[in-house]
Amino acid sequence: MLHSNLSVNNKGNLCICGADCVELAKEFGTPLYVLDENYIRDRCHEYTESFKRYLPTGSMPLYASKALCIKAIYPILLEEDFGADVVSSGELYTALAAGFPAERVFFHGDNKLPEELDYAISKGVGCIVADNIDELKIIDMLASRHNVRQRVLLRLTPGIDPHTFDAVNTGTLNCQFGVAIESGQAEVFVAEALKCKNIDVLGFHCHIGSQIFSPEPFTMALDIMLDFMVRIRESMGYTASILNLGGGYGIRYTEADPIMDIYGCIEKTGEHLKMLCDRFDYPLPAIFKEPGRSIVADAGLTLYTAGYIKKVSDNTNFIIVDGGMADNPRYVLYASPYTIINVSRCEEKADQVYTIAGRSCETGDLIQENVPLPETRSGDLLAVLSTGAYNYSMSSNYNRFPKPPMIMLKDGRARVVVKKETFEDLIRNDL
Ligand code: LLP
């Protein structure tokens, strides 16, 4: 099976975290987002353990809330010793509403609105990742108004292409996030930040992209960031105490994806950091990382019921499911690959090829093409694997489909963590 929390029981049904997906669909209906809490905790543990082993004291993993921002995730993060990054006051509000301490939150965004910054500072957010000079000035002014010294990291772009797909590639020069090192603008950014009276500059941040499987792009980022930090120390006498390397570790959507070795990657990052710091006689900064996808993606799957099966040509045989781009827009947006399983026919030979379509009024509404499956009938259950990250968080009400519910499994037992939307929810804000 693609992930270690998946199995097939003696009825031949797919199970996640020991729970039979047929039973889950019976109890909660479809479409259904399913999450495995044990698996999430295991992933968190890999980060906290490898951080303890290989990174300098004070280093901390932060969960990138954008991957899946629901109240139920925050108590888990807190128990697992994680911080969190948020990219909007909506994400911050969710974290705080779940009782997550503001001081463990890092606030990101390339255009945080002044009222969002005001909200974050008034709530005592631990650190703001400043995106540009104009924003720094607003943070400085608001911090003075609230009579605090606001801690910030400065977001830089190191100019690295981690060979990932363009839409989620954020480390190169021509991107709207942060300030580029290559263009010389980053030096001005630091100089301006150090002048701000109500700002404490803790260090630097960079995020180079997503779905990265090897340590090299991160060690390259370290080379560039350390070189910059050394130059800044020489020219401005400023030494950073934190270096945040962003998120980006990959997960397996299909068997073709490698297995991510988090321990190995963090070990390489730690070794490389020590080597560079020794070479430049730079005090070891605490390393922060912001994994999102690698915490929740493969802890999740989505269950659908097959509706009509339509063979429209020799090459195209559609299975139209009871969800689609509204609950998972990632194939439409990125042609993202997925593994799809016929839940009650796991052990039958996958000798048919299907296109899995959604039920939105949109020709492009596909979940996946060329999917090998056993002969599938209307009423069969399909599981789309690895949908824990960026599915619910990017879902919409297109065609006024209510969003599906989400359940969380712990030791095989399910609880609802997001209720199914109702028609009443859909018209709540309509006047
Ligand atoms: N930190 C920053 C500053 C980020 O921009 C991101 C993701 C992360 C952390 C988390 O990266 P992760 O560990 O999840 O790869 N919607 C796209 C993904 C966009 C990611 C944007 N930034 C998708 O569905 O694949």
Side-chain angles (χ1 to χ4, degrees), residues 15-333:
C15 297
I16 173 168
C17 187
D20 184 331
C21 289
V22 174
E23 297 305 320
L24 294 177
K26 257 191 219 150
E27 188 175 350
F28 301 101
T30 60
L32 178 68
Y33 293 115
V34 182
L35 273 181
D36 175 347
E37 179 172 339
N38 300 87
Y39 201 85
I40 293 175
R41 287 183 185 271
D42 288 348
R43 299 288 77 70
C44 288
H45 192 72
E46 282 189 318
Y47 278 99
T48 48
E49 262 311 297
S50 55
F51 268 52
K52 265 187 223 145
R53 258 188 235 173
Y54 304 120
L55 296 180
T57 333
S59 299
M60 178 161 76
L62 310 169
Y63 168 70
S65 297
K66 64 182 80 78
L68 175 69
C69 186
I70 55 168
K71 279 172 72 181
I73 203 81
Y74 293 98
I76 300 175
L77 296 173
L78 198 54
E79 281 177 26
E80 296 298 331
D81 266 343
F82 260 59
D85 96 41
V86 299
V87 292
S88 69
S89 42
E91 287 188 356
L92 176 57
Y93 181 85
T94 309
L96 297 180
F100 200 74
E103 64 272 14
R104 291 179 82 89
V105 177
F106 280 56
F107 190 19
H108 270 285
D110 61 345
N111 186 19
K112 303 174 205 74
L113 306 178
E115 58 267 32
E116 292 188 299
L117 290 167
D118 190 61
Y119 172 62
I121 294 171
S122 73
K123 291 292 173 191
V125 83
C127 185
I128 296 177
V129 183
D131 184 85
N132 58 65
I133 292 180
D134 295 334
E135 187 186 64
L136 269 179
K137 292 182 181 153
I138 298 176
I139 299 171
D140 192 31
M141 183 268 291
L142 290 169
S144 144
R145 197 182 285 169
H146 287 281
N147 211 10
V148 292
R149 268 182 84 74
Q150 180 59 50
R151 294 186 295 175
V152 303
L153 291 182
L154 305 181
R155 177 150 183 178
L156 306 179
T157 32
I160 290 173
D161 174 359
H163 309 293
T164 184
F165 52 105
D166 279 346
V168 290
N169 178 356
T170 41
T172 52
L173 188 62
N174 285 322
C175 104
Q176 72 272 48
F177 303 101
V179 177
I181 293 178
E182 206 177 322
S183 66
Q185 293 178 5
E187 261 115 351
V188 186
F189 189 27
V190 183
E192 287 300 315
L194 295 176
K195 277 190 221 152
C196 294
K197 292 207 172 51
N198 308 291
I199 282 180
D200 222 349
V201 183
L202 299 184
F204 302 106
H205 174 281
C206 67
H207 169 78
I208 53 176
S210 226
Q211 268 303 77
I212 302 169
F213 288 94
S214 72
E216 282 74 33
F218 295 101
T219 50
M220 277 163 66
L222 273 177
D223 287 340
I224 295 169
M225 296 300 281
L226 251 296
D227 174 74
F228 177 77
M229 284 154 62
V230 169
R231 282 192 283 121
I232 290 294
R233 183 178 59 174
E234 275 163 17
S235 59
M236 300 178 205
Y238 170 77
T239 307
S241 54
I242 291 180
L243 176 56
N244 184 331
L245 294 173
Y249 284 168
I251 68 105
R252 300 184 89 202
Y253 285 103
T254 69
E255 300 280 352
D257 290 322
I259 294 174
M260 181 72 215
D261 174 10
I262 301 214
Y263 281 94
C265 254
I266 301 286
E267 182 179 12
K268 287 252 159 56
T269 303
E271 278 171 359
H272 201 72
L273 176 76
K274 281 190 195 106
M275 184 273 287
L276 290 172
C277 287
D278 280 351
R279 182 191 296 166
F280 298 118
D281 194 24
Y282 200 96
L284 279 172
I287 296 294
F288 284 42
K289 283 193 67 71
E290 300 167 335
R293 192 190 314 264
S294 54
I295 301 292
V296 285
D298 42 9
L301 57 77
T302 309
L303 294 175
Y304 300 101
T305 302
Y308 299 112
I309 317 277
K310 260 193 193 169
K311 189 161 175 89
V312 296
S313 68
D314 283 350
N315 297 328
T316 310
N317 198 0
F318 284 111
I319 300 175
I320 310 177
V321 295
D322 54 353
M325 63 186 282
D327 63 79
N328 180 0
R330 296 191 68 263
Y331 188 73
V332 175
L333 280 171

